[in-house]
Amino acid sequence: MNNSAALSGDDFKQRSRDQWSANPCGAIAADGFEPGSREYFDAIENYRYEVYAPWMKRVIGFDGFRGKDLLEIGCGTGTDLLQFARAGARVTGLDLTPRSVEIAARRFEVHGLEGKFGIGDAENLAFPDASFDAVYSFGVLHHTPETGRAVSEIHRVLRPGGQALVMLYHRQSLHYWGGLVLKHGVLRGELLRYNLREIMSRHVEYGAVETLPLVKAYTWAEARRMFHEFASCEISVNQLTRSELRPFGRLLPERLFQWLAEGFGWNLVIRAAKSSR
Ligand SMILES: C[S@@+](CC[C@H](N)C(=O)[O-])C[C@H]1O[C@@H](n2cnc3c(N)ncnc32)[C@H](O)[C@@H]1O
């Protein structure tokens, strides 16, 4: 049973550590390879950018940060941090889960790349004000209890004119309404036992063990409000798979599919700039 209403912020953070210690981010794509080997990391990387989210390299623009000091919050196994480092950014990877930090550091060693790593909490960043040119966080801040506080921390550690690039789950999406609410909540009757946040927690992240991490999803307007301290903020919508649109997914013309993905995909990508003064 979840009983999530009775849990404190620290309990949820412990659930995050449990979840991502048991199931390192993306590692399911590397089943069968020796953990920590080059083949293991390559399998995670290929799956991410070729199968799971082919839009990522174009939308994130990893090579736009050459020569910049970039912090990634919630670096997981370091897949995206590696792209920034390869493209010439000076990178720091931070994560709440010690195992994530260990794996990400090992990955950089395997690739012969430089990076700094540390264990830390998005809600209380252990860096002085104005430490970074860019802060990146993908699929992380919707798992932390005080997401707004984490966004303020990002603003604080950015230098004037610095850029935040953050992915949060999107509530007005086909994944949320079709997959979570309709399929699991209504048709499978889970709404009789769980609230929607608990249903997300049960189904959104892959879990070989039942850790039930906190999962939240935001509307475009809620995300925009959370970034109110920033001088500018642009939000794009991404991440829809044809299999989510079964039985018609394979038949949809590409333009219609893209239109659906850009309106009702599962990921909000927020690009916000701190005032340069
Ligand atoms: C879904 S994984 C995403 C990892 C990586 N960004 C990626 O896309 O592969 C979530 C990661 O965020 C970390 N995390 C969760 N809450 C956090 C917090 N409050 N501060 C820092 N990291 C956190 C978890 O430990 C986990 O490694």
Side-chain angles (χ1 to χ4, degrees), residues 11 18 35 64 124 129 139 157 190 254:
D11 295 331
D18 294 344
N124 292 292
D129 297 358
V157 302
E190 292 183 25
E254 183 58 24

Side-chain angles (χ1 to χ4, degrees), residues 16 20 25 48 72 74-76 95-97 100 120-122 138-140 144:
S16 268
W20 284 289
C25 306
R48 184 173 184 83
E72 179 171 5
C75 63
D95 203 288
L96 192 62
T97 303
S100 296
D121 184 351
F138 193 96
V140 174
T144 205

Side-chain angles (χ1 to χ4, degrees), residues 189-263:
E190 292 183 25
L191 274 169
L192 298 173
R193 299 168 64 200
Y194 306 111
N195 64 38
L196 278 170
R197 194 170 277 184
E198 288 165 341
I199 291 175
M200 282 201 283
S201 170
R202 306 183 76 77
H203 299 290
V204 168
E205 302 299 332
Y206 167 75
V209 291
E210 203 173 83
T211 48
L212 301 177
L214 175 65
V215 184
K216 298 179 278 186
Y218 295 88
T219 64
W220 190 98
E222 286 166 344
R224 182 67 192 83
R225 273 198 295 280
M226 224 163 4
F227 283 77
H228 66 93
E229 287 177 88
F230 287 79
S232 69
C233 174
E234 285 169 17
I235 304 182
S236 69
V237 177
N238 308 272
Q239 188 59 13
L240 183 72
T241 57
R242 286 182 182 264
S243 63
E244 284 176 90
L245 301 170
R246 268 180 313 211
F248 311 109
R250 284 185 182 197
L251 306 174
L252 287 182
E254 183 58 24
R255 283 180 68 172
L256 176 57
F257 176 70
Q258 279 310 325
W259 180 82
L260 285 170
E262 286 164 19

